[in-house]
Amino acid sequence: MADPDESPVGPSMTPPRSEATALDPFFIPRGCAVVGASRDPAKPGHQVLRNLRAVGHLGPVYPVNPRERALEGWACYPDLVSIPGPLDLVVLCLPATTIPSVLEDVRCRRRDRQDVRAIITTAGGYAETGTPEGRTRQAELEAFCRQQQVLHLGPNCIGVIDTHNRMDTTFLLGTAHQPGGISFLSQSGAFGAWILQSWSSRPRPTGFNRFVSLGNMVGVDLVQAMTYLGQDEHTRVIGMYLEGYPDPRKLLLTAARVAQTKPVVVLKVGVTPAGRQAACSHTGALAGEDALYDGAFRQYGLTRVKTVEELLDTLQAFDTLPSPSGNRVFLMTHAGGPGVYATDALAALPEIEPARVTGATRQALVDILPPFSAVCRPEGHLDMTASGTAMQHAMALELLLGDAGVDAVILLDLPTLFLSAEALADHLLEAYGRASSRQPPPKPFLPCLMAGKWVAEGRRRLEEAGIPTFETPDRAARAFANLLRHRTLRQAGRRALTLPFPAAGGEAGRRQTLTEPEVYRMIAAEAIPIAPWRATGNPAEASVAATELGLPVALKLVSPDLPHKSEAGAVILNLAQADDIPAAWERAVTAARAYRPGLRISGGLVQRMARGQEFIVGGLRDPQFGPVIMVGAGGLLAEYVRDAAWRLAPVDEDMAMAMIGELKAAPLLEGVRGGPPADRAALARLVAAVSRRLASIPDLVELDLNPVMVGPAGAGCQVVDALAVRLSPE
Amino acid sequence: MADPDESPVGPSMTPPRSEATALDPFFIPRGCAVVGASRDPAKPGHQVLRNLRAVGHLGPVYPVNPRERALEGWACYPDLVSIPGPLDLVVLCLPATTIPSVLEDVRCRRRDRQDVRAIITTAGGYAETGTPEGRTRQAELEAFCRQQQVLHLGPNCIGVIDTHNRMDTTFLLGTAHQPGGISFLSQSGAFGAWILQSWSSRPRPTGFNRFVSLGNMVGVDLVQAMTYLGQDEHTRVIGMYLEGYPDPRKLLLTAARVAQTKPVVVLKVGVTPAGRQAACSHTGALAGEDALYDGAFRQYGLTRVKTVEELLDTLQAFDTLPSPSGNRVFLMTHAGGPGVYATDALAALPEIEPARVTGATRQALVDILPPFSAVCRPEGHLDMTASGTAMQHAMALELLLGDAGVDAVILLDLPTLFLSAEALADHLLEAYGRASSRQPPPKPFLPCLMAGKWVAEGRRRLEEAGIPTFETPDRAARAFANLLRHRTLRQAGRRALTLPFPAAGGEAGRRQTLTEPEVYRMIAAEAIPIAPWRATGNPAEASVAATELGLPVALKLVSPDLPHKSEAGAVILNLAQADDIPAAWERAVTAARAYRPGLRISGGLVQRMARGQEFIVGGLRDPQFGPVIMVGAGGLLAEYVRDAAWRLAPVDEDMAMAMIGELKAAPLLEGVRGGPPADRAALARLVAAVSRRLASIPDLVELDLNPVMVGPAGAGCQVVDALAVRLSPE
């Protein structure tokens, strides 16, 4: 029976066929002109031709240079207009200032020949400079491309590479055109170069399929490129270097659809300090662009990585490892200390569990391994000592892969006199082949042959045979954890794609702080439990209300001028007797008037005291992300520890449960100091309900429910204070 | 005037001269025998001879093998006894079972010739196996060495290397004997091999001085080796791979003394989950071996690193970078995306600040760099775009190093067509040389030439000239942060060395939980402020006490059977009127009797309510570490976030301030929600006083002061609850 998680996504998620071919002119052009082609190796226009040769480009190439007859074996043309055949792609290797005249030639061809379907502009000097000239230049380029209906990539980019279709329009040094299943989108040409040069420097160059440098995104942008790669049959996993995108919701939605069929791995940079906007709520103070992106990546099923090493390892793991059937990892080594180091690294990753093998496997291991080997001490770990031979490695690997309790094997090895990396690689490959054919499907096997150049040939042999190798056990473990995590992420993304998707932009207007009763009335339309309350006009009414609501109660002054009531002394908690209310009212008024002279007081809110664990639920309407929802730990410390999880609104209850699970304070809900577990489900319901409310009220720009008291399981939770900012028309 | 921090350490810290030569027989032996020497490349005894040749060992070498006449050009001997000349060192390359007979020969030589001063045993099969045979074998070896008064290294080790004295007794593949200032101590031979092979695989092999593999530490142990390397004139920085040490206090004290003159960088593995002992206190629940080691490393001035990459980078940085005069780092690059990535990495390190250059420097940079360069946008950052030439790099570097606002420069570069790593390296070296000679002392310069093999030669040139290079900007930044941190660490270590040093081991006895009044009386001898309290025998006495102490008060039952009073309902807070006391007493008794039937109640403790930020101060007498002190965030969440800082007791107030500064909750003390700052100094005084108390009462095994309420600055802090476990004689 098919895993429901594997079933195809609904029709709304399948982009039209045209999207799958939209960017073909860049990758499989009928004719490619290189303007600025040159004999001088210091010129980009030289290296582009070199790379087209190096990749073995099959289509016609037209170097454009009036002073040359031929370059790299291709006949030169004085200008674009004189090129005979059909011309799909023009690569501009020229400074920004000389480009307008070439665009005139493009215009002529578009008019006379109806070709030139795509342009790549490598030059900088556009909007990225932040200068008025640069911005004007970019606007002109954009207008040209729109008017001519021509595809455009750049400016300020290094173009595209396609190992399958043998295309390379970059001027990069050091690209190995090794085919593979990784495609990479980069908002920085230099970052792309870093990745490509890192790939080509490995013992065996890492294979990849397509590379797209997006530059300033005039024309082709991240969304279009992501959609295209999502449809590309040779792409198994997509990597992305992301600085930012003007409409993050659109990008996330696109990437989420793609991530349903191929993992999307994102390195997001530009982590700015939190506290993104002038906010009067705690929610606002906790928000930050990075926190919102982070929550959104989790929500839409994208794998976020933090370092370039993790990016490289994770892409390779997704491309080459078989899909794991579980998270039980066995660690085998002949190196004691590195084994302990690796055990620490594995223990730090919650996604991974140590594998437990059967007694039979354990005994078989003991039987074949050197006398002082430590087998399954600790569980999921095997140290065969430095005297373990290549054959013993192979036998142990085969036994472990054959045990049903093992989902994956990580191996650590250092070359020794007695054990060359090459011999080890050969034996391991045989053993892995035997185990995989006897008991398909193959299991993930992650060898870490450490020690730099001394293992280069051994690693090359393994990778040539399709087994990825890793630099260190921590890096292998993290890449594998990302593989495991993808399963959960994809499910989250699948759910997120079924939810409504409100528009982003906040409306304009005057910010107006609502009083607590106003907030309660605004949110009351949904299933949001609020501790029983009553708005009262005077102490006598409040006393009556207290008795009717049930004691003890809290008394809170209601004032449009007092968003932070507690600070002002306008909140009195734990009033156990109705008779105490008038004095409390008096005390609160005195304190609040001292805190803010001239304060308007419109009454007193009486609310039954609620008990439970304190949490905070809040939301914002972010200018970029639109409505967002947050749940966090309550209390003072939480503000300082910044323990909060974010998503774009709305979320469903499952997603809300996942958010709660991300909190450092999550264990509080499992019961504290021997107490019963708290009503996590009720908190999740509340979060989901609040998120729907946020998504449905466009002028609700800030909302704090703080605290929310979460009672024991089954007892629900209750909001006991609230703050909101609404936009009212100017 | 001399920096007081640079002044020599007191006489008590200078080990005797004999310690400086104690291990010389391993490194500069008059005569070295290799027992088990072999012609077979698969035997360790072959590779030891190869390595002695490779390192260019100058002293006499005596291969011992009855079946060979000569090996690697050295004459063979049939046994140890027949070796003519003086023989300082015997390297045993034999299986454990054959060693006893060789030791008999050693015994003969000791008796007849009075030589053989040191033995290295490489074999495994001793206590590390965890078997009775292994333990017996190790005990016999230990007895032999003690009886014969012979130095011993191992068993289960790979020996020593010394590049200065040209010694290498290891059987490792892949050691480059490049001299340098790093020495390394390893509790794992394989981990040592990993380091050595990583060093030898770099574009230019990393230089080092001495390497010691300690194995099972029969004879030479970590303390002795650390002391020896501390005295070694060619060692500038010491690295250590640490699994554990039976007397951590002794190791820490030794390493702390060494770290006053040379940095000690520790990779500590074997991170076990917290909750080290059956404990009834929160302090006990928060303790864990790793947390104690971590606190102790900070206390004694050792640099802890977490990954093998950080270990390699930090050792290299300490060995080769000039000491920084400040933490203001300028980041220069020609690569936009990697620059943003690096900015994130720098911003994540609190040790580092962005450098601000003068307007003149900024203008000069703008003048010399390509037109679209981003200069000081953001501050401390320069992106000269991909068109920056090697000359422009050099000029920019010289300008930056010449600016008084710059303490160090990190450079990121990727090779391009226009800019080869070699040309860049040459230009940078010239510029660095000019800047350093014009304006000594030289400033740290950390180039990251990225992109693997494409930059190998460029990196080699820089390192040949003494400039360390790094793989990624994050790794460079972290190594530099460790350099900066060492200054603070060394000061901490200096203070720690002046404090008394109580013995570790806890005494035996029956654990006895003390009641709150008993704890207060026990700790009251020191300056530990406790919220005013009174032990009372009945409700009437309690009412009187409440009035005298000042209202509001808390009432707490006193019972030897009730360590966790709050859970039992035996604590009633916020009693505002003396008349309320009798009813509260009654309520508490009822609740506590329901919680634990048959409970003994010896009275009621009345205590004036105190306000402030909640913290916890606690301590333990740990079996390994002895008395330890902890300060942590108070409240429920803190227990779950595990926000605590540890030190060995006693600590002084400065150290206590540093502990408080490590807490995630530290910002709470700066004032919350617009309130005044809290009395951090008072909390530090309390921590120091408690630590002295812990150190002076050997039978006090657990202490929780929880919570401690910290009032506004100047108002002090007060303990409002306490729990302790004391050992009483059986």
Side-chain angles (χ1 to χ4, degrees):
Chain A
M1 206 183 124
D3 176 358
D5 185 40
E6 301 286 341
S7 67
V9 291
S12 70
M13 294 183 196
T14 312
R17 175 69 199 147
S18 63
E19 290 184 358
T21 57
L23 304 189
D24 281 356
F26 292 105
F27 297 96
I28 39 175
R30 291 163 308 155
C32 165
V34 179
V35 187
S38 166
R39 183 174 300 281
D40 177 358
K43 292 271 167 69
H46 174 83
Q47 196 68 8
V48 171
L49 292 177
R50 291 272 302 265
N51 279 346
L52 281 164
R53 267 292 171 235
V55 77
H57 186 63
L58 300 169
V61 171
Y62 309 106
V64 175
N65 183 329
R67 286 176 309 281
E68 300 285 351
R69 303 198 55 182
L71 285 169
E72 293 289 323
W74 283 300
C76 281
Y77 292 82
D79 50 42
L80 284 177
V81 179
S82 54
I83 292 170
L87 178 62
D88 272 356
L89 177 63
V90 171
V91 183
L92 299 177
C93 302
L94 297 167
T97 47
T98 63
I99 285 177
S101 66
V102 181
L103 294 183
E104 276 315 299
D105 287 359
V106 172
R107 193 190 302 274
C108 293
R109 276 197 82 102
R110 296 282 304 158
R111 185 189 59 213
D112 303 338
R113 312 274 295 257
Q114 291 82 48
D115 64 3
V116 184
R117 295 161 66 204
I119 298 173
I120 294 174
T121 306
T122 59
Y126 292 82
E128 86 281 1
T129 59
T131 61
E133 307 79 54
R135 278 194 290 266
T136 305
R137 198 174 278 140
Q138 182 154 324
E140 285 165 6
L141 181 61
E142 195 149 18
F144 174 87
C145 297
R146 199 172 43 242
Q147 193 215 334
Q148 292 294 318
Q149 294 189 290
V150 64
L151 290 166
H152 181 270
L153 189 64
N156 187 29
C157 82
I158 58 171
V160 304
I161 307 176
D162 182 328
T163 59
H164 184 78
N165 294 301
R166 303 199 184 174
M167 185 60 176
D168 185 345
T169 74
T170 75
F171 50 79
L172 287 183
L173 171 70
T175 302
H177 296 109
Q178 177 83 41
I182 305 171
S183 284
F184 196 79
L185 291 173
S186 187
Q187 279 192 304
S188 152
F191 195 93
W194 190 8
I195 296 301
L196 291 163
Q197 289 167 340
S198 300
W199 280 341
S200 66
S201 297
R202 300 188 83 241
R204 176 183 179 272
T206 299
F208 68 99
N209 181 39
R210 280 174 167 162
F211 168 84
V212 186
S213 164
L214 289 149
N216 298 6
M217 301 198 294
V218 167
V220 177
D221 74 356
L222 270 174
V223 164
Q224 204 175 358
M226 174 67 71
T227 306
Y228 181 72
L229 292 177
Q231 296 281 298
D232 171 21
E233 60 173 323
H234 301 291
T235 295
R236 278 191 292 271
V237 50
I238 296 172
M240 172 161 58
Y241 167 84
L242 178 64
E243 293 184 352
Y245 188 74
D247 183 354
R249 285 205 169 227
K250 191 172 168 199
L251 175 63
L252 289 160
L253 199 62
T254 306
R257 284 176 180 145
V258 170
Q260 285 301 308
T261 53
K262 23 193 114 173
V264 175
V265 182
V266 186
L267 184 83
K268 166 76 178 76
V269 295
V271 176
T272 47
R276 177 176 173 64
Q277 37 201 327
C280 75
S281 62
H282 295 306
T283 302
L286 284 169
E289 193 192 48
D290 196 68
L292 300 184
Y293 265 112
D294 205 75
F297 292 144
R298 294 168 194 267
Q299 180 169 15
Y300 285 102
L302 315 186
T303 299
R304 184 181 195 178
V305 293
K306 295 288 191 172
T307 64
V308 75
E309 290 94 340
E310 188 185 359
L311 174 64
L312 294 167
D313 297 335
T314 303
L315 289 173
Q316 192 190 14
F318 274 122
D319 186 29
T320 56
L321 285 177
S323 179
S325 59
N327 71 343
R328 298 161 306 170
V329 173
F330 202 101
L331 180 71
M332 65 178 273
T333 187
H334 68 154
V340 182
Y341 175 82
T343 303
D344 284 357
L346 286 170
L349 293 167
E351 294 87 354
I352 291 176
E353 271 180 57
R356 286 175 178 271
V357 298
T358 63
T361 302
R362 186 178 173 141
Q363 188 55 52
L365 287 166
V366 169
D367 290 345
I368 58 152
L369 292 176
F372 304 128
S373 300
V375 177
C376 304
R377 300 198 316 262
E379 206 68 61
H381 184 100
L382 152 61
D383 175 6
M384 68 177 75
T385 80
S387 53
T389 63
M391 179 59 79
Q392 286 168 321
H393 274 83
M395 290 162 74
L397 177 64
E398 205 174 336
L399 283 166
L400 291 170
L401 291 172
D403 190 294
V406 175
D407 297 314
V409 175
I410 294 181
L411 168 82
L412 314 188
D413 259 79
L414 289 148
T416 66
L417 244 189
F418 336 109
L419 182 71
S420 80
E422 295 83 349
L424 180 66
D426 294 344
H427 278 82
L428 291 172
L429 280 174
E430 277 178 38
Y432 186 72
R434 278 196 304 274
S436 302
S437 64
R438 181 173 323 130
Q439 219 173 353
K443 293 180 180 175
F445 170 45
L446 299 88
C448 309
L449 304 193
M450 308 189 293
K453 70 177 179 182
W454 307 97
V455 292
E457 172 58 16
R459 291 179 61 183
R460 201 195 58 74
R461 289 187 197 178
L462 287 164
E463 299 213 334
E464 198 65 54
I467 307 283
T469 66
F470 296 86
E471 304 287 330
T472 67
D474 8 351
R475 289 178 57 175
R478 184 163 292 279
F480 189 66
N482 282 337
L483 241 66
L484 293 168
R485 206 172 152 239
H486 175 60
R487 200 172 296 231
T488 319
L489 280 171
R490 191 173 54 177
Q491 281 164 8
R494 169 175 300 266
R495 283 200 310 278
L497 286 170
T498 63
L499 292 173
F501 199 75
E507 348 280 293
R510 193 171 50 80
R511 289 171 60 90
Q512 184 202 345
T513 305
L514 304 191
T515 63
E516 191 175 344
E518 287 169 336
V519 182
Y520 287 159
R521 284 181 204 116
M522 178 175 64
I523 62 174
E526 298 270 332
I528 296 169
I530 296 163
W533 63 281
R534 184 90 49 86
T536 63
N538 55 55
E541 272 178 46
S543 297
V544 173
T547 309
E548 288 174 9
L549 289 168
L551 291 152
V553 295
L555 173 70
K556 302 180 257 189
L557 295 190
V558 178
S559 162
D561 307 324
L562 211 55
H564 299 300
K565 300 182 291 282
S566 294
E567 269 178 24
V571 176
I572 300 192
L573 299 175
N574 273 314
L575 292 162
Q577 295 177 313
D579 295 351
D580 295 342
I581 301 258
W585 184 298
E586 197 50 47
R587 217 155 65 236
V589 168
T590 308
R593 288 245 153 89
Y595 179 84
R596 180 156 303 167
L599 180 87
R600 292 169 294 172
I601 297 172
S602 55
L605 185 147
V606 181
Q607 186 165 43
R608 199 197 299 153
M609 292 298 295
R611 297 185 64 170
Q613 299 297 335
E614 282 189 34
F615 280 77
I616 168 171
V617 175
L620 293 173
R621 185 162 286 261
D622 182 86
Q624 269 197 293
F625 286 89
V628 296
I629 174 83
M630 185 271 283
V631 59
L636 256 190
L637 182 60
E639 279 171 45
Y640 288 84
V641 176
R642 312 191 74 84
D643 188 19
W646 295 87
R647 292 292 187 275
L648 311 196
V651 298
D652 61 18
E653 287 168 32
D654 282 349
M655 242 184 253
M657 283 295 253
M659 292 170 73
I660 295 164
E662 285 163 24
L663 298 180
K664 296 196 193 84
L668 283 176
L669 292 166
E670 283 155 25
V672 289
R673 295 179 182 164
D679 202 334
R680 192 173 182 141
L683 179 58
R685 279 195 301 277
L686 173 71
V687 169
V690 171
S691 79
R692 290 191 297 272
R693 208 78 196 98
L694 279 161
S696 67
I697 311 179
D699 57 3
L700 173 56
V701 291
E702 279 188 60
L703 175 67
D704 257 2
L705 306 179
N706 180 21
V708 172
M709 309 305 278
V710 183
C717 62
Q718 290 189 318
V719 176
V720 299
D721 201 357
L723 173 68
V725 177
R726 222 176 154 149
L727 290 183
S728 60
E730 305 272 8
Chain B
M1 205 182 126
D3 177 357
D5 186 40
E6 301 286 343
S7 67
V9 291
S12 69
M13 294 182 193
T14 311
R17 174 73 198 145
S18 63
E19 290 183 357
T21 58
L23 303 187
D24 282 355
F26 292 105
F27 298 96
I28 39 176
R30 291 162 310 155
C32 165
V34 178
V35 188
S38 167
R39 184 174 299 280
D40 177 358
K43 292 272 168 67
H46 174 83
Q47 197 69 8
V48 170
L49 291 178
R50 290 273 303 266
N51 278 346
L52 281 165
R53 268 292 172 235
V55 77
H57 185 62
L58 300 169
V61 172
Y62 308 106
V64 175
N65 184 330
R67 288 176 307 280
E68 301 284 354
R69 302 198 56 182
L71 285 168
E72 294 287 325
W74 284 299
C76 282
Y77 291 83
D79 51 39
L80 283 178
V81 178
S82 54
I83 291 170
L87 179 61
D88 272 357
L89 176 62
V90 171
V91 183
L92 299 177
C93 303
L94 297 166
T97 47
T98 63
I99 284 176
S101 67
V102 181
L103 293 183
E104 277 315 300
D105 287 359
V106 171
R107 193 191 303 274
C108 294
R109 275 198 83 103
R110 295 282 303 158
R111 186 190 59 213
D112 303 338
R113 309 277 294 258
Q114 294 82 48
D115 63 4
V116 184
R117 296 160 66 203
I119 298 173
I120 295 175
T121 306
T122 60
Y126 292 82
E128 86 282 0
T129 61
T131 62
E133 307 78 53
R135 277 194 291 266
T136 305
R137 199 174 277 138
Q138 182 154 323
E140 285 165 5
L141 181 61
E142 195 149 17
F144 175 88
C145 296
R146 198 172 44 243
Q147 193 216 332
Q148 291 295 320
Q149 295 189 288
V150 63
L151 290 165
H152 181 271
L153 189 65
N156 186 30
C157 80
I158 57 169
V160 304
I161 307 176
D162 182 327
T163 60
H164 183 79
N165 294 301
R166 303 199 184 176
M167 185 59 176
D168 185 345
T169 74
T170 75
F171 49 80
L172 288 183
L173 171 71
T175 301
H177 296 109
Q178 177 84 42
I182 305 171
S183 284
F184 196 79
L185 291 172
S186 187
Q187 279 192 306
S188 154
F191 196 93
W194 190 7
I195 297 301
L196 291 164
Q197 289 167 339
S198 299
W199 280 341
S200 67
S201 297
R202 301 187 82 239
R204 174 183 180 272
T206 299
F208 69 101
N209 182 39
R210 280 173 167 163
F211 168 83
V212 185
S213 163
L214 288 149
N216 298 6
M217 302 197 295
V218 167
V220 177
D221 74 355
L222 270 175
V223 164
Q224 204 174 357
M226 175 65 72
T227 306
Y228 181 72
L229 292 178
Q231 296 282 299
D232 171 21
E233 60 173 323
H234 300 291
T235 296
R236 277 190 292 270
V237 50
I238 297 172
M240 173 161 57
Y241 166 83
L242 178 65
E243 293 184 350
Y245 188 74
D247 183 353
R249 284 203 171 230
K250 191 173 167 196
L251 175 62
L252 288 160
L253 198 61
T254 306
R257 284 177 182 147
V258 169
Q260 286 300 309
T261 52
K262 22 193 115 172
V264 175
V265 182
V266 187
L267 184 84
K268 166 76 178 75
V269 295
V271 177
T272 48
R276 174 177 174 65
Q277 38 202 327
C280 76
S281 61
H282 296 304
T283 302
L286 285 169
E289 193 192 47
D290 196 68
L292 300 185
Y293 264 112
D294 206 76
F297 292 144
R298 294 168 194 268
Q299 181 169 14
Y300 285 102
L302 315 185
T303 299
R304 184 181 194 178
V305 293
K306 295 288 189 172
T307 65
V308 74
E309 291 93 340
E310 189 185 357
L311 174 64
L312 295 167
D313 296 334
T314 303
L315 289 173
Q316 192 189 14
F318 273 122
D319 186 29
T320 56
L321 284 177
S323 178
S325 58
N327 71 342
R328 299 162 304 169
V329 173
F330 202 101
L331 180 72
M332 64 178 273
T333 187
H334 68 153
V340 182
Y341 175 82
T343 303
D344 284 358
L346 286 170
L349 293 166
E351 293 87 354
I352 290 175
E353 271 180 57
R356 287 176 178 270
V357 298
T358 62
T361 302
R362 188 177 173 142
Q363 189 54 50
L365 288 166
V366 170
D367 290 345
I368 59 152
L369 293 176
F372 304 128
S373 300
V375 177
C376 305
R377 301 197 316 264
E379 206 65 62
H381 185 99
L382 152 61
D383 175 5
M384 67 177 75
T385 80
S387 52
T389 63
M391 180 58 80
Q392 285 168 322
H393 274 81
M395 288 162 75
L397 177 64
E398 204 175 335
L399 282 167
L400 291 170
L401 291 172
D403 190 295
V406 175
D407 296 315
V409 175
I410 295 182
L411 168 82
L412 315 186
D413 259 78
L414 290 148
T416 66
L417 245 188
F418 336 110
L419 181 71
S420 80
E422 295 83 350
L424 180 65
D426 294 342
H427 277 83
L428 290 172
L429 280 174
E430 277 177 42
Y432 186 72
R434 276 195 306 272
S436 302
S437 64
R438 180 170 327 129
Q439 221 173 354
K443 293 178 181 178
F445 170 46
L446 299 88
C448 309
L449 303 193
M450 308 190 293
K453 70 177 179 182
W454 307 97
V455 291
E457 172 57 17
R459 290 179 63 183
R460 201 196 59 73
R461 289 188 196 177
L462 287 164
E463 298 213 335
E464 199 65 54
I467 307 282
T469 66
F470 297 86
E471 303 286 330
T472 65
D474 6 355
R475 288 179 58 176
R478 185 163 292 280
F480 189 66
N482 283 338
L483 240 66
L484 293 169
R485 208 174 150 237
H486 174 59
R487 199 172 297 233
T488 318
L489 280 171
R490 191 174 53 177
Q491 281 164 8
R494 169 175 300 265
R495 281 200 312 277
L497 286 169
T498 64
L499 291 173
F501 200 75
E507 347 281 295
R510 192 173 51 80
R511 289 170 61 91
Q512 184 203 346
T513 305
L514 305 190
T515 62
E516 191 176 345
E518 287 169 335
V519 182
Y520 287 159
R521 283 181 205 116
M522 179 176 63
I523 61 173
E526 298 268 332
I528 296 170
I530 296 163
W533 62 282
R534 184 89 49 87
T536 64
N538 56 54
E541 271 179 47
S543 296
V544 172
T547 309
E548 288 175 8
L549 289 168
L551 293 152
V553 295
L555 173 70
K556 301 181 259 190
L557 295 190
V558 177
S559 163
D561 307 325
L562 210 57
H564 299 299
K565 300 182 291 281
S566 294
E567 271 178 22
V571 176
I572 300 192
L573 298 175
N574 273 317
L575 292 162
Q577 294 177 314
D579 295 352
D580 296 342
I581 302 260
W585 184 298
E586 196 53 45
R587 215 155 67 235
V589 168
T590 308
R593 288 246 153 88
Y595 178 85
R596 180 155 302 166
L599 180 88
R600 294 169 292 171
I601 296 172
S602 55
L605 186 148
V606 181
Q607 186 166 43
R608 199 196 298 155
M609 292 297 295
R611 298 183 65 172
Q613 300 297 336
E614 280 189 36
F615 280 77
I616 169 171
V617 176
L620 293 173
R621 184 161 288 260
D622 182 86
Q624 270 197 293
F625 286 89
V628 295
I629 176 83
M630 185 270 284
V631 60
L636 256 189
L637 181 61
E639 277 172 45
Y640 288 84
V641 176
R642 311 190 75 82
D643 188 20
W646 295 87
R647 294 290 188 276
L648 311 196
V651 298
D652 61 18
E653 287 169 32
D654 281 349
M655 243 183 253
M657 283 295 253
M659 294 171 73
I660 296 165
E662 284 164 25
L663 299 179
K664 296 196 193 83
L668 284 176
L669 292 166
E670 282 156 26
V672 290
R673 296 179 180 164
D679 202 334
R680 192 174 182 141
L683 178 58
R685 277 195 302 277
L686 173 72
V687 169
V690 171
S691 79
R692 289 192 299 271
R693 208 77 196 98
L694 280 161
S696 66
I697 311 178
D699 57 2
L700 173 57
V701 291
E702 279 189 59
L703 175 67
D704 257 1
L705 307 179
N706 180 21
V708 172
M709 310 305 279
V710 182
C717 63
Q718 289 189 318
V719 176
V720 299
D721 202 355
L723 174 68
V725 178
R726 216 171 161 154
L727 291 183
S728 59
E730 305 270 8

